[in-house]
Amino acid sequence: PDITHLFFVDSDMVLPKDALIKLFRSDKEIISGLYFHRNPPHDPHLYKIENDTLVPIKDYEKDRIVEADAVGGGCLLVKREVFERLAAVKAVNGAPQFFVTTPTVGEDIFFCELAKKHGFKICCDTSVKCGHIELKVVEEGDFAGNNLYIPGSIK
């Protein structure tokens, strides 16, 4: 009964040391830190709905709390009351279904869509700048396609 929030952090995230404090102090129902896709073009995990499609918000306000239609769950703080209210409306055989992965959306987007449908605001604190760890095997194709030196380019 003393728990007020649930904080989600993916194992491939690097958070600033004050991430949880800043998100908590925002006093938002659902709020994420800012992070980007691991793969190019490295768009933010911050989305709006355009023409019934989620698209990344690329022109987000810097160092502000901004509203969105969905955010990634890699650095996400959710108030307990959100789960309490959603549990009553989204259950299968008595078990709440907050995070479901479908062929078209991940569990974080599913959660955001469910929460918005039931009146919750989705926010992102763009001052909480998180890193997203990406492991890549460098192969010959990477070298051939990405030469940095072009003969004759140095004058």
Side-chain angles (χ1 to χ4, degrees):
D2 296 331
I3 296 170
T4 61
H5 294 74
L6 188 57
F7 187 43
F8 296 88
V9 180
D10 285 356
S11 61
D12 62 352
M13 299 300 299
V14 178
L15 276 54
K17 63 183 177 184
D18 61 348
L20 179 56
I21 292 168
K22 283 178 127 179
L23 296 177
F24 182 80
R25 286 185 179 157
S26 74
D27 197 32
K28 301 295 182 187
E29 298 163 321
I30 302 167
I31 189 163
S32 73
L34 178 66
Y35 68 101
F36 301 84
H37 286 266
R38 289 181 293 167
N39 300 315
H42 306 296
D43 290 331
H45 278 285
L46 177 63
Y47 305 96
K48 61 185 171 184
I49 297 174
E50 284 185 358
N51 301 321
D52 294 326
T53 303
L54 278 178
V55 296
I57 301 173
K58 298 178 183 183
D59 60 346
Y60 59 87
E61 291 183 65
K62 308 278 192 236
D63 300 324
R64 298 268 188 260
I65 294 175
V66 297
E67 280 193 42
D69 290 314
V71 294
C75 174
L76 184 67
L77 184 66
V78 182
K79 283 188 175 182
R80 176 185 179 149
E81 66 191 54
V82 173
F83 294 111
E84 290 173 340
R85 283 186 30 209
L86 291 180
V89 298
K90 189 65 176 168
V92 174
N93 296 326
Q97 303 294 305
F98 305 123
F99 301 98
V100 175
T101 300
T102 72
T104 56
V105 298
E107 71 282 351
D108 44 9
I109 302 302
F110 177 91
F111 175 74
C112 289
E113 288 177 349
L114 177 65
K116 274 201 66 95
K117 180 179 175 184
H118 289 90
F120 292 102
K121 290 184 180 178
I122 312 295
C123 296
C124 176
D125 186 336
T126 63
S127 75
V128 177
K129 296 172 181 12
C130 305
H132 204 170
I133 299 170
E134 192 263 332
L135 301 175
K136 182 179 184 322
V137 176
V138 176
E139 300 174 335
E140 185 176 355
D142 296 310
F143 173 75
N146 295 307
N147 286 333
L148 295 177
Y149 170 69
I150 300 171
S153 65
I154 298 176
K155 304 274 184 207

